Amino acid sequence: MAGKLLLVHGGGPTAVLNCSLYGAAEEAIASGKIDEVYGALGGMGGLLAERFVRLDTLPSSRRELLRTTPGSAIGTSRDAMEAPEYARAAEVIRKNGFNFLLCNGGNGTMDTCGKVYEACQAAGTQVLVAGIPKTMDNDIAVTDHSPGFPSAARFIAGTVREICADVRSLPLHVCVVEAMGRNAGWVTAAAALASQAGEIGPDLIYLPERDFDEAAFLQDVERLWARGRGVVVVVSEGIHGPGGKPLVPPIFQTGRSTYFGDVSAHLAQLVVKELGVKARSEKPGLAGRCSIHWRSPIDCREAEEAGRAAVQAVLNGQTGVMPAFRRISDQPYQSETFLAPIREVMLTERTMPEEYINEAGNGVTEAYLQWLRPLMGEELPELVTFQD
């Protein structure tokens, strides 16, 4: 078997997306069964425009840099795809002689991947297609967790711990930290790992899986403020009121994505107005998904494994599949990959289960922390305080 392989990125980048690109490219090159390896420059839009970069002819030292480069070296996109675009994608794949197509992304990208596969079948285009999981949100179905999430979780835990140390040092205000994740609270919940022996850690955590009650929030803050230690609150950007009503009106909508204003700023202003307490908001934003310095080593390794597994799948003649992770043990942490049908993943969103959220809806349970800890790598740096 010989042929040409094309790699396409979709959706938001992560700190380890390029690790998957590296793993896939290296596996393809080492196989001796693929003559040429390409990347689409700028996601599906790059594929449709036939903008490709040859990866196998680059110096190996350049490809090696992918393992320590955040974002996407070949670019990604959120291009809206309809029937004409899928038909065009199938034609481009046929015209350029691609025998293998790998789409690296989240729920939306897996949906696109599945539909490109269907369009190729309908057009009689002979191509083997596989997905590679990627999302910091951890909301892909079937897999235990997704590459990109452990690093985002480690970032939010480490950053919130540092914020908590700052607030504890000068407890003059309530600090509301906004984490990424519109519909799934996996990353926001990871802030709970910032806690250290009950001394340095967030006081309240609110996830989009539960309706947000502003009155209950103010009561929680007022009670904690009375301790005289300052208050740190971590909220998901997607928290909402009853019936899914947004706390902050939408400011922009495109495709299936709705973008709201700053939830953290809204809540900080609410604290000032209703409680008369100084408050401020913090929004790490893109830093939460691209930080190299807080990356999880396990995340890097598994992202590369996912890329390699996708190449192995198509070389074995399997198509319409996505490598997923199955956890074998927590201590020591071990996982294995298996192939899931893309149709089981397409636009299927995996949110936090109820058993991972505390009864009050303002924190997480030990069950969630036990699930999360093995993915984080080494323990966060220990901090010290001499204050009561």
Side-chain angles (χ1 to χ4, degrees):
M1 180 186 298
K4 297 168 66 176
L5 180 145
L6 177 63
L7 288 145
V8 184
H9 285 169
T14 74
V16 298
L17 177 55
N18 283 325
C19 291
S20 290
L21 179 62
Y22 173 83
E26 293 303 306
E27 188 70 20
I29 293 167
S31 72
K33 299 178 180 179
I34 295 177
D35 299 320
E36 301 172 20
V37 181
Y38 292 85
L41 292 172
M44 290 304 300
L47 185 155
L48 296 176
E50 300 183 62
R51 297 180 59 240
F52 306 120
V53 59
R54 185 89 179 260
L55 300 176
D56 57 300
T57 57
L58 294 173
S60 59
S61 59
R62 294 286 290 172
R63 292 196 304 271
E64 185 72 24
L65 291 174
L66 290 170
R67 303 171 99 177
T68 54
T69 301
S72 168
I74 59 175
T76 181
S77 68
R78 296 190 189 276
D79 296 295
M81 299 279 286
E82 300 295 341
E85 285 76 29
Y86 287 117
R88 165 67 179 160
E91 171 58 22
V92 169
I93 290 168
R94 184 204 62 76
K95 173 185 173 183
N96 287 274
F98 292 119
N99 309 97
F100 311 99
L101 173 67
L102 303 184
C103 299
N104 195 174
N107 298 305
T109 301
M110 292 305 114
D111 183 65
T112 299
C113 182
K115 289 177 179 176
V116 169
Y117 170 59
E118 292 168 356
C120 287
Q121 285 189 315
T125 302
Q126 299 299 310
V127 61
L128 298 176
V129 180
I132 305 174
K134 174 278 311 174
T135 174
M136 63 157 287
D137 294 326
N138 199 48
D139 59 355
I140 295 180
V142 181
T143 185
D144 176 78
H145 56 279
S146 302
F149 165 71
S151 294
R154 187 171 175 82
F155 171 89
I156 201 68
T159 300
V160 168
R161 175 177 282 193
E162 292 167 346
I163 289 173
C164 289
D166 185 285
V167 172
R168 186 70 180 276
S169 303
L170 188 63
L172 298 179
H173 51 258
V174 172
C175 183
V176 184
V177 184
E178 181 176 335
M180 297 183 78
R182 284 190 295 274
N183 301 319
W186 296 96
V187 172
T188 305
L193 278 186
S195 294
Q196 178 180 299
E199 291 187 340
I200 300 176
D203 300 290
L204 299 165
I205 298 174
Y206 296 96
L207 312 176
E209 283 81 359
R210 295 275 187 89
D211 289 343
F212 185 81
D213 185 329
E214 289 189 347
F217 162 73
L218 290 170
Q219 290 174 3
D220 285 341
V221 171
E222 188 172 34
R223 170 177 52 83
L224 292 165
W225 177 254
R227 302 171 309 175
R229 294 167 50 179
V231 179
V232 175
V233 182
V234 185
V235 300
S236 164
E237 63 180 344
I239 57 172
H240 53 77
K245 182 180 179 181
L247 298 186
V248 182
I251 58 174
F252 181 68
Q253 186 161 1
T254 177
R256 65 188 184 93
S257 299
T258 300
Y259 297 86
F260 299 101
D262 288 352
V263 170
S264 53
H266 167 76
L267 294 179
Q269 291 169 9
L270 188 67
V271 168
V272 173
K273 179 181 177 181
E274 299 297 331
L275 301 182
V277 173
K278 182 180 179 181
R280 64 181 299 145
S281 61
E282 300 288 343
K283 187 175 181 178
L286 296 184
R289 75 183 188 197
C290 69
S291 173
I292 281 286
H293 304 293
W294 279 111
R295 274 199 321 185
S296 161
I298 290 170
D299 200 17
C300 301
R301 186 187 73 229
E302 290 187 335
E304 185 175 324
E305 287 177 6
R308 292 182 181 278
V311 171
Q312 292 165 8
V314 293
L315 287 179
N316 288 331
Q318 294 169 295
T319 189
V321 297
M322 182 198 80
F325 288 95
R326 179 185 295 117
R327 190 177 303 207
I328 299 172
S329 69
D330 287 336
Q331 297 294 334
Y333 172 73
Q334 288 183 297
S335 68
E336 63 181 7
T337 59
F338 67 96
L339 296 178
I342 285 181
R343 65 177 178 272
E344 295 182 8
V345 182
M346 296 164 65
L347 285 179
T348 301
E349 200 165 42
R350 175 175 177 250
T351 55
M352 288 268 289
E354 280 296 307
E355 61 266 27
Y356 284 174
I357 308 172
N358 71 5
E359 186 175 353
N362 60 10
V364 303
T365 63
E366 182 58 31
Y368 171 73
L369 296 179
Q370 289 178 359
W371 173 85
L372 176 63
R373 284 190 185 100
L375 303 177
M376 302 285 283
E378 63 183 23
E379 293 287 333
L380 297 175
E382 186 175 359
L383 307 181
V384 65
T385 179
F386 304 122
Q387 302 181 83
D388 294 331

